Amino acid sequence: EAQRAGDIEKHVRSIELFYEVLLEAAGNPLMASYLVSQRSRLARLRVIALSTQDRAAISVEEKRRIVQAIRARDAALAQQLG
C-alpha cells in the first residue's frame, strides 16, 4: 500500500514493523534490542534506498518471498532471503 502510494515514510515504518514481528516470533531478545538501538540509522538508510527507482517495489517483493518461505516452513530459504 505505502509503496504503491509512493509514501516512503509509511513504507519505512512498514518495514520496521515487519522486522519487529519477525524478531518477536524468533524469540531473540538480543537481536531485537540491537535492532531497536539501530532504528534511526536504519530508517535513514531505508529512506535513501527506497528513493531510488524500483527499490520500493523490490523491497515489497523481498518481504513477500520471506513470508512465503516462513509459511512453507522453509527455514533455509527464509534465512537466505532475509
Side-chain angles (χ1 to χ4, degrees):
E1 179 182 315
Q3 179 261 325
R4 278 183 258 136
D7 188 337
I8 293 174
E9 296 299 323
K10 190 173 182 179
H11 192 158
V12 168
R13 184 64 189 133
S14 296
I15 292 170
E16 289 173 347
L17 289 172
F18 177 84
Y19 285 111
E20 286 174 16
V21 168
L22 281 181
L23 285 171
E24 184 176 323
N28 187 334
L30 182 61
M31 184 56 92
S33 175
Y34 176 75
L35 183 63
V36 167
S37 75
Q38 298 299 310
R39 180 175 283 156
S40 65
R41 180 181 306 183
L42 290 169
R44 288 191 300 270
L45 292 173
R46 287 177 176 132
V47 167
I48 292 167
L50 294 172
S51 298
T52 62
Q53 186 176 13
D54 297 327
R55 183 62 194 130
I58 292 167
S59 172
V60 169
E61 184 57 30
E62 289 170 345
K63 307 308 177 282
R64 282 189 183 129
R65 292 180 66 205
I66 291 169
V67 169
Q68 288 172 345
I70 292 168
R71 286 183 176 156
R73 300 194 182 278
D74 189 338
L77 179 58
Q79 185 176 14
Q80 177 186 346
L81 294 170

